[in-house]
Amino acid sequence: MIIAQISDTHIALDAPDADQRLRDFERTIADINALDPVPDVIFHTGDIVHNGRPDEYSEAARILAKASAPVYVIPGNKDDRTNLRAAFSSRGYLKPGSDFIEYVVEDYPVRLIAVDTLNTRSNKGAFSPEQAGRLIDHIDAEPTKPIAVFTHHPPFDVQVGPDPLNFEKPEMMARLRQTLQHSGRVVAVISGHVHRGTAGHIGSIPATVMPSIATTLRKGEYPGHMKVRPVYHIHRFNTVWGFAVETRIVDTGISVASAS
Ligand SMILES: [Fe+2]
């Protein structure tokens, strides 16, 4: 099973770098479409847009509609749950009725569980006891397959950024970490938010973070020729070895139009 992860596209139509953010997003989808084999799924780990506006989501949905593989999304701190849900509801996996954007994808050898860490009080993440209860239910719903969990905010101390803690309160992150280790079936935790590539652990579970697709917002040192080349992650699952993570540099020579 192959998962292409994208994150932190921050579509903002009024920003000075609005065109570059759109270009980065389009080029990344074109690059994923050109992979052989094409990934089974594309997972966007949040901050799809920058201001939560419907017109920003329209642009994001237009670009994601070009993807060859099914696309799943979770919200980041810059997203708006209502507008996100409206933009992507036609895809069927965002069930109406719940405020939180939490769901399970059961169609693959690895179960994919979406966790919503958006916190309307802060750019940092939140995770409540009620959410922990629902995540345990999601984990326990199927007892045989491995599980990959997707969160916007990484649930480990990120040592390479300015602030290691990406949750509003340490106990929120501790609650999520404890829940992820509940049954031993979670084999990968896949996140975004910090705009740079890094990795950590939740107990013995490997956890990865990808850079922002928006090159103008990407953190860390990149050489000049990389400045407008987005970087994303491919997660390949093997039943013996678990997940292997590959960092892909987008080929900006691919025609965005022809890859649609
Ligand atoms: Fe972000």
Side-chain angles (χ1 to χ4, degrees), residues 232-249:
Y232 66 96
H233 280 181
I234 297 284
H235 304 265
R236 287 189 177 81
F237 181 76
N238 171 298
T239 49
V240 175
W241 296 103
F243 274 103
V245 185
E246 176 191 354
T247 298
R248 285 261 329 161
I249 303 168

Side-chain angles (χ1 to χ4, degrees), residues 127-162:
F127 192 70
S128 69
E130 293 73 25
Q131 286 179 279
R134 292 195 296 270
L135 179 54
I136 285 174
D137 288 345
H138 283 158
I139 289 171
D140 286 347
E142 202 284 338
T144 64
K145 288 186 192 173
I147 297 168
V149 171
F150 297 81
T151 72
H152 181 67
H153 300 85
F156 62 92
D157 274 6
V158 175
Q159 301 297 321
V160 293

